[in-house]
Amino acid sequence: MFFRKAFQAERTVKIMSKVLIVEDERELAQLMVRAFEADGIAAVIAGSAEEAYDLLTSAVFDCLMVDVNLPGDDGYALCRNLRERSGVPVVFASARIEPDARIRALEEGGDAYLSKPFSLREMLAQAKALMMRPERKSGADEAALSAGPFQLDGRAKTIRKNGQLIALSPREFQLASALMGNAGQSLSRDALLAKVWGAFAEVEPQTVSVHMSWLRAKLEDDPAHPAYFKTVRGEGYRFDLPEGNR
């Protein structure tokens, strides 16, 4: 497999995942936060879809827990809008008892459905299972990754090339992490915007191109002819390793 050859990773401690809880019942939301944090997962609360939109303009989450009945836009509308920009896992949680509630949740783009009242253990199991899916990962999901001349430390947010520390901005690091964490896979500009800037970030797609040029200037031997962080015409960008580095 290309991935196995091109991306030999040093597996160490997991980076803390981050969950957005969209729930207007404050007491329940706080219980959910405590359950996630006790399991080593960071959690943030939004009391409405509108608050969630604001958070998603500047932050990236690994999973959303979404109540269906919300003030303003309901959970279905939130998921529908999110799916235009991001494939982040969405777990619906609802007290609705109509037979087609679960079906509609899946049709709107949800990945799982929990009926209230639900077990916090089941909630954790659903969220963790979805966050572990390879196609859902936002980038390098381990604290340390090694690929060719690069050593990426997700916890310290640093990257080295041939042992030398390279100074990257936070966005440049996140961009490198997203590409290295999906080695051999092309990621579109829109996908990278969602993964690095946030699903509802108000930035132009050209922003990715600009940051890619900065990243290449710092990490490539010949930025005009990149060997690792490549452009894939008509698709986006991809992290590759040359034949000799596999």
Side-chain angles (χ1 to χ4, degrees), residues 52-84:
Y53 295 143
D54 288 341
L55 288 166
L56 289 162
T57 62
S58 58
V60 177
F61 295 90
D62 299 292
C63 184
L64 271 69
M65 308 295 299
V66 179
D67 184 20
V68 173
N69 297 318
L70 295 168
D73 279 1
D74 64 13
Y76 295 140
L78 168 60
C79 187
R80 192 163 54 247
N81 290 328
L82 183 65
R83 282 294 170 258
E84 295 177 0

Side-chain angles (χ1 to χ4, degrees), residues 1-2 12 16-17 25 62-63 78 88 90 115 117 133 151 155 175-176 180-181 192 197 212 220:
M1 294 289 289
F2 171 83
T12 57
M16 180 178 287
S17 299
E25 295 182 34
D62 299 292
C63 184
L78 168 60
V88 62
V90 173
S115 296
R133 290 183 183 177
Q151 301 83 43
R155 178 158 301 197
L175 189 57
M180 291 176 66
L192 287 168
W197 280 265
M212 278 298 299
E220 296 280 358

Side-chain angles (χ1 to χ4, degrees), residues 7-234:
F7 198 64
Q8 298 293 328
E10 294 177 0
R11 308 292 182 180
T12 57
V13 181
K14 295 275 186 183
I15 295 174
M16 180 178 287
S17 299
K18 191 174 183 180
V19 171
L20 176 60
I21 298 169
V22 190
E23 171 61 67
D24 62 335
E25 295 182 34
R26 194 72 183 181
E27 186 175 346
L28 173 59
Q30 293 287 5
L31 284 173
M32 295 167 70
V33 167
R34 289 196 289 271
F36 278 115
E37 291 182 344
D39 207 64
I41 299 170
V44 177
I45 298 172
S48 67
E50 286 68 30
E51 286 184 31
Y53 295 143
D54 288 341
L55 288 166
L56 289 162
T57 62
S58 58
V60 177
F61 295 90
D62 299 292
C63 184
L64 271 69
M65 308 295 299
V66 179
D67 184 20
V68 173
N69 297 318
L70 295 168
D73 279 1
D74 64 13
Y76 295 140
L78 168 60
C79 187
R80 192 163 54 247
N81 290 328
L82 183 65
R83 282 294 170 258
E84 295 177 0
R85 300 165 173 83
S86 172
V88 62
V90 173
V91 179
F92 280 107
S94 176
R96 292 191 176 184
I97 60 174
E98 54 266 40
D100 64 344
R102 186 183 302 271
I103 295 172
R104 185 176 177 190
L106 298 176
E107 290 176 341
E108 295 288 1
D111 296 273
Y113 184 92
L114 294 173
S115 296
K116 292 182 177 179
F118 53 82
S119 157
L120 293 176
R121 286 184 62 190
E122 182 182 5
M123 176 196 73
L124 285 169
Q126 287 276 19
K128 289 164 69 175
L130 289 168
M131 289 189 288
M132 287 175 63
R133 290 183 183 177
E135 69 273 17
R136 297 298 195 182
K137 293 177 182 178
S138 61
D141 69 333
E142 266 112 347
L145 293 171
S146 179
F150 302 109
Q151 301 83 43
L152 183 146
D153 187 333
R155 178 158 301 197
K157 299 294 188 290
T158 60
I159 191 167
R160 296 176 182 271
K161 182 178 180 181
N162 296 320
Q164 180 180 355
L165 184 65
I166 307 295
L168 298 181
S169 71
R171 296 294 189 199
E172 290 166 355
F173 176 84
Q174 291 171 325
L175 189 57
S177 175
L179 290 166
M180 291 176 66
N182 292 276
Q185 177 184 343
S186 298
L187 299 178
S188 69
R189 286 181 175 84
D190 287 343
L192 287 168
L193 280 173
K195 290 176 183 292
V196 176
W197 280 265
F200 290 90
E202 296 179 358
V203 296
E204 296 296 325
Q206 187 65 20
T207 300
V208 178
S209 301
V210 172
H211 280 75
M212 278 298 299
S213 68
W214 294 342
L215 186 66
R216 287 167 173 162
K218 295 178 179 181
L219 296 180
E220 296 280 358
D221 293 332
D222 183 358
H225 302 92
Y228 306 101
F229 296 91
K230 296 182 178 180
T231 298
V232 182
R233 189 177 298 277

